[in-house]
Amino acid sequence: MSKAVRLDKFLADSGRGTRSEVKKYIQKGLVQVNDMTVKKPEQKIDPERDSVLLKGERVEAEPEFVYYLLHKPAGCVSATEDRNDRTVMDYVPSGRRGLFPVGRLDKDTEGLLLITNDGMLAHELLAPARHVEKTYFLRAEGIVTEDDRIRLEQGVDIGEEKPTLPARAEILKRTGGDGGDPGPGCTELLLSICEGKFHQVKRMMEAVGKPVIYLKRVSMGPLTLPEDLKKGECRPLTEQEVTELKQAGKK
Ligand code: URA
């Protein structure tokens, strides 16, 4: 269903200038709607049906919602603004207002972060009842034993009312920590959780006595961090990814 909008708002929302700049373009006769010059900024148009030209160039309607997949680097906070630190918003195109990160990664955590202006989808993805799975790659101090792994999967006490919900833990690599190698050694693992408690992964690893040294989110629901997306880079989600994400939010 298409909606009528003011011509000046349409042009400003399409990134053609501020509201007062586009008003001037309109008043100067630089804008045509369906081949007719229109000089009233308040004129209503239908963005899906009307053809709008600015200085002879076609202006396409911007989609209402935008979705970016960011490879968050360490050292920035998951907020829209901050007095002291860089925020994740420094890494996404700034042309759209109302963008925000869906959920939080700690300042020292890297990896997949969804940035959007779609509040409804964010709400659905974050709702505890939806149980959208998030997978983290992590390096922990010490040797994570099979016993620890099973405890992580079954649920550990992180100081909340209840233990953590069932999770999946896969050991990737254990290094050192044996007789020939002094020191506690370290373990790399993938941990998949369906909750989003504050510092949850770090607290789960603390609960088994193997603190996190490095943490990176590699997937969230159907989204996977692309291998070729460097730290600090972002790209728009594909239509397919948006569709899959919306399905994940509905489950
Ligand atoms: N769990 C954590 O402890 N930190 C994060 O950034 C994400 C999940």
Side-chain angles (χ1 to χ4, degrees):
M1 201 180 48
S2 54
K3 291 179 271 176
V5 290
R6 283 177 60 121
L7 181 56
D8 55 352
K9 181 171 182 342
F10 169 75
L11 289 168
D13 288 350
S14 307
R16 301 308 160 121
T18 62
R19 199 75 173 251
S20 59
E21 281 167 349
V22 301
K23 264 185 192 158
K24 283 188 196 133
Y25 297 150
I26 298 168
Q27 284 153 352
K28 281 188 192 160
L30 299 174
V31 178
Q32 280 83 41
V33 177
N34 301 330
D35 297 328
M36 304 272 288
T37 298
V38 171
K39 291 199 167 180
K40 288 188 182 157
E42 68 276 17
Q43 165 118 7
K44 291 277 174 62
I45 63 138
D46 179 338
E48 281 176 23
R49 294 173 186 209
D50 294 327
S51 140
V52 179
L53 301 183
L54 169 63
K55 300 178 192 169
E57 236 181 65
R58 180 87 193 247
V59 181
E60 300 289 347
E62 285 264 315
E64 187 178 5
F65 296 123
V66 289
Y67 307 89
Y68 292 109
L69 191 159
L70 170 68
H71 186 163
K72 178 193 176 295
C76 61
V77 293
S78 302
T80 50
E81 47 191 343
D82 193 272
R83 276 163 178 253
N84 305 312
D85 288 307
R86 297 196 76 166
T87 76
V88 290
M89 305 315 292
D90 293 340
Y91 298 93
V92 292
S94 55
R96 292 297 291 259
R97 268 177 287 145
L99 291 174
F100 59 89
V102 177
R104 278 169 191 274
L105 291 179
D106 297 336
K107 186 173 167 187
D108 58 355
T109 302
E110 298 178 350
L112 186 157
L113 188 63
L114 175 66
I115 313 268
T116 184
N117 57 349
D118 186 342
M120 178 78 93
L121 179 66
H123 177 74
E124 287 174 354
L125 291 171
L126 296 177
R130 302 277 189 229
H131 291 186
V132 174
E133 188 177 74
K134 277 94 42 183
T135 298
Y136 296 85
F137 166 84
L138 67 98
R139 200 166 294 124
E141 188 181 305
I143 300 299
V144 176
T145 62
E146 181 58 13
D147 195 41
D148 295 330
R149 194 190 69 74
I150 292 168
R151 284 181 62 208
L152 290 167
E153 289 206 335
Q154 290 180 341
V156 285
D157 179 2
I158 58 167
E160 300 276 333
E161 228 170 273
K162 291 185 183 160
T164 52
L165 289 178
R168 288 188 300 129
E170 182 190 346
I171 309 284
L172 299 175
K173 193 170 155 188
R174 295 184 177 105
T175 335
D178 50 31
D181 190 354
C186 93
T187 309
E188 289 180 358
L189 62 149
L190 289 174
L191 184 59
S192 303
I193 57 173
C194 294
E195 304 167 277
K197 301 234 160 61
F198 185 61
H199 294 328
Q200 178 153 346
V201 173
K202 291 177 184 166
R203 288 160 73 198
M204 287 174 75
M205 295 308 297
E206 288 285 348
V208 294
K210 314 285 153 63
V212 167
I213 307 169
Y214 171 79
L215 186 57
K216 173 177 172 179
R217 181 154 68 191
V218 292
S219 75
M220 175 172 152
L223 296 183
T224 304
L225 185 67
E227 290 205 348
D228 58 354
L229 194 69
K230 300 197 182 79
K231 280 180 219 173
E233 285 184 351
C234 82
R235 67 148 170 83
L237 292 193
T238 63
E239 271 181 38
Q240 168 88 10
E241 285 171 329
V242 174
T243 307
E244 287 175 5
L245 208 51
K246 287 183 177 168
Q247 281 164 358
K250 298 260 179 287
K251 275 185 194 150

